[in-house]
Amino acid sequence: MRAPMFTGLSAFPLSPLRNDAFDERAYAGLIGRLVLAGVDSITALGSTGSYMYFDRDERRQVARAAVQHADSVPVMVGIGALRTSQVRMLADDAQEAGASAVLLAPVTYQALSDDEVFGLFEDVTAGLSVPLVVYDNPGTTHVTFAEDLYSRIATLPHVASIKIPGVPADPGEAAARVRSIRERVPGAVSVGVSGDGSAAAGLSAGCDVWYSVIGGTLPAPALRITRAALSGDHAAAAEESARLQPLWALFAEHGSYRVTAAIAEHLGLVAADCLPRPVQGLGTAARTRVAQLIDELDLAD
Amino acid sequence: MRAPMFTGLSAFPLSPLRNDAFDERAYAGLIGRLVLAGVDSITALGSTGSYMYFDRDERRQVARAAVQHADSVPVMVGIGALRTSQVRMLADDAQEAGASAVLLAPVTYQALSDDEVFGLFEDVTAGLSVPLVVYDNPGTTHVTFAEDLYSRIATLPHVASIKIPGVPADPGEAAARVRSIRERVPGAVSVGVSGDGSAAAGLSAGCDVWYSVIGGTLPAPALRITRAALSGDHAAAAEESARLQPLWALFAEHGSYRVTAAIAEHLGLVAADCLPRPVQGLGTAARTRVAQLIDELDLAD
């Protein structure tokens, strides 16, 4: 059986900065919103949570704050780093902070072979006490997972879920893609979709969970899509996703990371310039568009 | 005038590990070889020196050891990191350690726009006291520098040199490429070639300096190429480079990072498994080939 923690909506909050320091007060507010909205899990320190920009102490601080403010909602913590020994230390820190699971992307500087990626997961899972989510994020790691690599890694101890990139828009192709992954991994391993614009398609195609950028800041519409798709009302999920199309278009143009930060800044949930330099927030024109969309799509609640 | 430090051979030593800790004793030996051989500068903590895998304390330790053992040879120190504030701290550390210059690559996790890359260099150079080398390493940073970006960055204070990727093999095309960059940057900014297999071509095409992987471990052949090319004996430089073609072929197949580590391990200059996991050393067949090449090409001295 796939564990309930790895189904439904996993919300990825920002880890906002204020004057280049982690803004724990704003973070507590973001986590509180997610608890109130009723997300199924919170993933702290995902890509949206800027994990790679934070040092070990900061990441400990973020992990503790997430667990502290999440009440009974399970918290997963991203532990990716370039060196295996660093990842293992971050895994220890996350578990000490009370993480219910950890999330690991094979971050690269020197390109890694499949055997090296597998070795990373092998070394890290050997020392774990909690479940692990395999984080396949080719846009940032520059690692391309072949399905064969999924199947090798998925049989390692503690591997509980795989976060896959967006699925094809065509429902048949999406279902075939999810089925093909399922055939290669143990039945207890959940498959989660990412790429917010293809979440409705992914969940309707058989994914168990949506690892969601927008769900970390605007949980309400993300929950509408998730609940509809997982209850079998694929049409309602597709309709809500289509309604948000202008938002997905903005994600495609500027990246979901920058757009989500601009949304949180516009709503006053975080301070201005909440992203780590050298990443800069959106320019004025794009921010105006973000503000318009929040009104037009009724996203402010 | 281009400063002498940014001409000739800049040797990039490995930062060897022993049981996942920086092996300062082996490192002192590597630096000593470079001093003895007469390289023009040493670049500590380049990509070959695993900078992105080391934390701040380790990088301080490496920088100090490099300066301590380099005698009067100028030491440049790599300061790349994902967050601007981290880069600035590393710049301070490098300068405190006695670095004569710093080397900065725009490392990415979230992709950066040209304006963000420029902003990084602007913010970092504003706080510097020593010269800076712009490190254009698309294979690891996934940033593609347009020549226009070179010209914007090259006018910032303290920018003294640009490390460009390999040049075209054709001499005419190589010369055109170097000329095109020169036309866009101030005359005092030196242009350095990297990609060891195209170093002879790059220097003969007008580059001032070779930022050299192999020169950090096998300085003698790298100096032969450099001295020949920069004295105008392009044929001798090309001949020595052609003699080393089997080595460049191995670099192309396995990456210069892993092959150079295998060379240093084979020669007993560093401990076995000197690279940071998850990066693994070469497999048995490739190591046998490395050992053969060292004999055949007479590289053991």
Side-chain angles (χ1 to χ4, degrees), chain A residues 61-101:
Chain A
Q61 200 186 341
V62 176
R64 284 179 187 159
V67 171
Q68 185 191 333
H69 296 286
D71 289 345
S72 58
V73 178
V75 172
M76 319 201 210
V77 174
I79 58 170
L82 286 167
R83 184 154 147 209
T84 302
S85 54
Q86 292 165 341
V87 177
R88 295 183 75 155
M89 285 190 296
L90 292 166
D92 291 346
D93 292 347
Q95 290 174 98
E96 252 172 58
S100 298

Side-chain angles (χ1 to χ4, degrees), chain B residues 3 54-55 65 75 78 99 119 167 176-178 209 231 241 247 254 267 278 289 291 295 298:
Chain B
F54 281 32
D55 69 19
V75 172
V167 298
R177 169 96 179 108
V178 175
V209 51
S231 71
S241 183
L247 186 62
H254 301 284
L267 294 178
R289 182 78 186 113
D295 273 354
D298 195 21

Side-chain angles (χ1 to χ4, degrees), chain A residues 20 47 51-54 58 82-86 109-111 116 140 142 257-258 276-280, chain B residues 20 47 51-54 58 82-86 109-111 116 140 142 257-258 276-280:
Chain A
D20 201 54
S47 288
Y51 73 106
M52 279 300 290
Y53 298 86
F54 281 32
E58 289 172 316
L82 286 167
R83 184 154 147 209
T84 302
S85 54
Q86 292 165 341
Y109 180 76
Q110 298 285 348
E116 288 170 328
T140 57
H142 308 284
Y257 183 61
R258 290 172 180 81
R277 294 264 163 168
V279 178
Q280 292 174 15
Chain B
D20 200 54
S47 288
Y51 74 105
M52 278 301 289
Y53 298 86
F54 281 32
E58 289 172 316
L82 286 168
R83 186 155 146 206
T84 302
S85 55
Q86 292 164 342
Y109 179 76
Q110 299 285 347
E116 288 170 329
T140 57
H142 308 284
Y257 183 60
R258 290 172 180 81
R277 293 264 162 167
V279 178
Q280 292 174 15

Side-chain angles (χ1 to χ4, degrees), chain A residues 6 95 100-102 121-122 124-134 153-161 189:
Chain A
F6 305 108
Q95 290 174 98
S100 298
V102 292
F121 282 93
E122 191 177 32
V124 171
T125 53
L128 276 186
S129 306
V130 298
L132 178 137
V133 179
V134 178
I153 291 174
T155 57
L156 289 168
H158 302 288
V159 173
S161 184
V189 172

